[in-house]
Amino acid sequence: MLNSMTGFARVCREIGGINYAVEIRTVNNRYFKPSIRLPETTAFLEQEIEKFLRQQIYRGTVNYFLRYKNTSGEPMYEIDAVALKNYVAKLNSISRPDGGIECRINLADLLLLPGVVRSQEPENEQAQQLRKAVFEVTAQALEQLKAMKRQEGQALAEDLMQQCGQIKSLLEGIKTRKHVVVNEYKDRLAARVKELLGSARLELDSDTLAREVAIFADRSDIGEEVIRLGSHIEQFIASCQTGEYAGRKLDFISQEMLRETNTIASKASDAKICLDVVQIKSCIERIKEQVQNVE
């Protein structure tokens, strides 16, 4: 069954006194394009998370967000005392006791300066616990994401099957009509020639008429194109039913379907067939649009 490339998942869990929130959003893209946003203390997990996402998601733009909050009361940031002292020393150095420059130092304001407050680097044991918790929550978010993508993929598959059914119905009408076209052309040609030659009391050679009809039949023969278009439709349906990640294949098949349809339109010399071809092309355009959403 097909999967949609569009999906959303959000999972929040508290593990070991830390509240984790993982949010994953996916939208259409021809290739796999990740965008991973992590807190500073978990930046070392970026490559592993990207690899994990690649294993679960075939293609699409993937926006991954990780947020967490320590609910145990333990600090997650530390103050760089050396940097803070350096700031204080520089401020004191530009302050003169004679009142030329008055400098009042507020330590709370100094905490906003770059490099004073920084994230605590997790130790080996803490890093392993953090890694385990992050991937546990991420795995749950991916399962939720996949469920949504499968649900939307089912709706896509139903619409694609409906369009293919309409094309097959129109194609059957074209198959029936293409055998009638040659005979109608023969009758119209004979009537027209008879009308033009009647006043001259001349008769058209039956061999000449047969030759002209044969040339027309060969030039307007759409039998091969009709067969190939029918084959493409069957391949498309089979791929929808068996391919979980069939987006690129379906895109290619739909292009071939459109190519065969255009050839039929250029070769067919019949208004009814041309009208059916217009409807087929409309269905294929709808298919091509929907296929862009398939993973």
Side-chain angles (χ1 to χ4, degrees):
M1 187 56 67
L2 300 180
N3 287 333
S4 171
M5 275 194 285
T6 304
F8 174 81
R10 179 180 174 85
V11 174
C12 298
R13 279 195 59 190
E14 183 176 336
I15 302 175
I18 299 178
N19 188 12
Y20 296 89
V22 170
E23 183 177 299
I24 305 176
R25 300 179 182 181
T26 59
V27 294
N28 299 356
N29 197 300
R30 237 182 126 179
Y31 307 101
F32 179 84
K33 183 180 178 181
S35 174
I36 300 174
R37 298 183 184 179
L38 305 172
E40 291 183 15
T41 52
T42 59
F44 68 98
L45 294 174
E46 183 173 352
Q47 291 186 351
E48 293 183 60
I49 291 175
E50 180 178 339
K51 182 179 179 181
F52 188 51
L53 293 174
R54 284 183 181 274
Q55 293 172 349
Q56 305 293 324
I57 302 173
Y58 183 66
R59 68 171 182 160
T61 296
V62 183
N63 295 299
Y64 177 96
F65 303 90
L66 170 64
R67 302 178 182 87
Y68 68 89
K69 179 180 180 181
N70 195 335
T71 57
S72 64
E74 296 181 4
M76 301 178 65
Y77 296 90
E78 60 183 10
I79 298 175
D80 190 331
V82 175
L84 182 58
K85 289 179 180 179
N86 288 335
Y87 278 122
V88 173
K90 290 181 179 179
L91 290 172
N92 285 329
S93 68
I94 63 174
S95 174
R96 294 203 307 248
D98 60 0
I101 299 178
E102 183 179 357
C103 180
R104 295 181 180 180
I105 300 175
N106 187 331
L107 290 179
D109 292 337
L110 292 180
L111 295 179
L112 301 176
L113 294 173
V116 176
V117 179
R118 61 188 183 185
S119 301
Q120 290 183 347
E121 294 293 332
E123 299 178 356
N124 289 337
E125 183 177 351
Q126 292 176 330
Q128 292 301 324
Q129 293 175 353
L130 189 61
R131 176 186 287 106
K132 181 179 178 181
V134 168
F135 278 94
E136 184 176 333
V137 179
T138 300
Q140 293 180 357
L142 282 171
E143 288 303 316
Q144 188 181 113
L145 178 72
K146 288 180 180 179
M148 181 177 180
K149 292 169 71 174
R150 282 194 297 267
Q151 184 177 1
E152 292 195 9
Q154 183 177 358
L156 286 173
E158 291 175 357
D159 185 67
L160 291 172
M161 292 299 99
Q162 181 180 1
Q163 301 301 323
C164 287
Q166 293 183 19
I167 295 175
K168 290 176 69 175
S169 177
L170 292 166
L171 201 57
E172 288 298 322
I174 291 176
K175 287 180 182 178
T176 304
R177 180 66 183 169
K178 71 185 183 70
H179 298 295
V180 179
V181 171
V182 176
N183 292 331
E184 289 184 349
Y185 175 78
K186 178 182 176 181
D187 294 339
R188 289 198 308 271
L189 180 62
R192 181 61 174 163
V193 171
K194 184 178 180 180
E195 179 183 350
L196 293 174
L197 299 180
S199 59
R201 296 182 180 180
L202 297 174
E203 293 184 2
L204 178 65
D205 191 325
S206 59
D207 292 338
T208 303
L209 178 61
R211 185 166 55 253
E212 290 298 325
V213 172
I215 293 173
F216 170 81
D218 183 67
R219 186 173 63 248
S220 62
D221 183 24
I222 57 175
E224 293 184 5
E225 289 77 10
V226 169
I227 292 174
R228 284 197 293 266
L229 179 55
S231 176
H232 292 331
I233 294 172
E234 296 301 329
Q235 292 177 24
F236 190 93
I237 294 174
S239 298
C240 287
Q241 294 173 343
T242 59
E244 186 176 3
Y245 303 115
R248 291 184 183 177
K249 183 177 181 180
L250 294 178
D251 189 24
F252 172 76
I253 296 175
S254 64
Q255 292 179 19
E256 291 299 303
M257 290 165 58
L258 185 60
R259 188 172 69 87
E260 297 297 343
T261 303
N262 286 332
T263 305
I264 293 174
S266 63
K267 293 178 67 174
S269 301
D270 180 70
K272 178 63 171 62
I273 291 179
C274 290
L275 181 61
D276 289 342
V277 167
V278 169
Q279 296 184 55
I280 290 176
K281 291 179 69 173
S282 176
C283 293
I284 294 177
E285 288 299 329
R286 170 71 176 177
I287 287 174
K288 287 175 65 64
E289 179 182 350
Q290 291 289 57
V291 163
Q292 302 307 312
N293 300 317
V294 178
E295 187 175 2

